Amino acid sequence: GIQVEQSPPDLILQEGANSTLRCNFSDSVNNLQWFHQNPWGQLINLFYIPSGTKQNGRLSATTVATERYSLLYISSSQTTDSGVYFCAVGGYNTDKLIFGTGTRLQVFP
Amino acid sequence: GAGVSQTPSNKVTEKGKYVELRCDPISGHTALYWYRQSLGQGPEFLIYFQGTGAADDSGLPNDRFFAVRPEGSVSTLKIQRTERGDSAVYLCASSLKGTGLQNEQFFGPGTRLTVL
C-alpha cells in the first residue's frame, strides 16, 4: 500500500513565526487532505489538495503530484495553531485515506 | 449544516462485553468510513460504505468487528467480546461520493472506547 511520511515529527515555534510541514507519499494519489487535530481530538479539514496550490488565510498548501509530495505553510503562527497536523492520501484504486504519523506543533506566546 | 456526529462520546466497558458505536453522517453524503486512532498515531482505516453496502472492509482487524448501514445513512460499528487492545478512539467520516471526484472526507468527533 501507499506509504506516507511527514516531517518534522515535532515543531516548536514562538508566536508569529512561519513554518513548513512536509508530506511525502510513495505512489500516485487522487486524494490528499491536510487536517489539524485539535487538543480535543477533532480532525479539522484544512485543505483538499490532490494537486496544485490553495490558500486559506494564514495557511496555504501545495501538492506536486508528479514528485509525490505536499507542503503545508503556516504563516504568523498563533497559539491556537498548536496541535497535530496530519496529511492523508487516497490512491486511485481505493477510497480509504492513509494517514501519516503527523507533525506535532507547539506554538508558545 | 450539521457535521458528522458520533455517539457515545465516551464508552467504558469490561473485557468480553459487546459494544455498539453509532455514526450519523452529513446529510446527503453517500460514502461513510470508520477509522480507529490509537494514542500517538494517525487514524487507521477500518471499513467503507457506499450506500448500504460495505465496499471495502479490508481494515477490520478480525471477525469480532462488524459494521452495518441498513438504510444508507446512519452506521453502527459493533465489537463483540471486547479486548483491552480494542481501546482507542473510533472515528467516523463521510464524503459526498466515495470514488474519484468529491471524495473529501469530513470527520466526526470520535468515540473514545476504553476496555477495562
Side-chain angles (χ1 to χ4, degrees), chain A residues 31 33 37 42 45 95 97, chain B residues 35 37 98-99 104-105 107:
Chain A
N31 183 357
Q33 294 184 238
Q37 190 162 45
Q42 176 71 54
N45 288 42
D95 298 292
L97 285 177
Chain B
Y35 293 82
Q37 186 175 22
T99 303
E104 182 176 7
Q105 296 183 28
F107 282 76

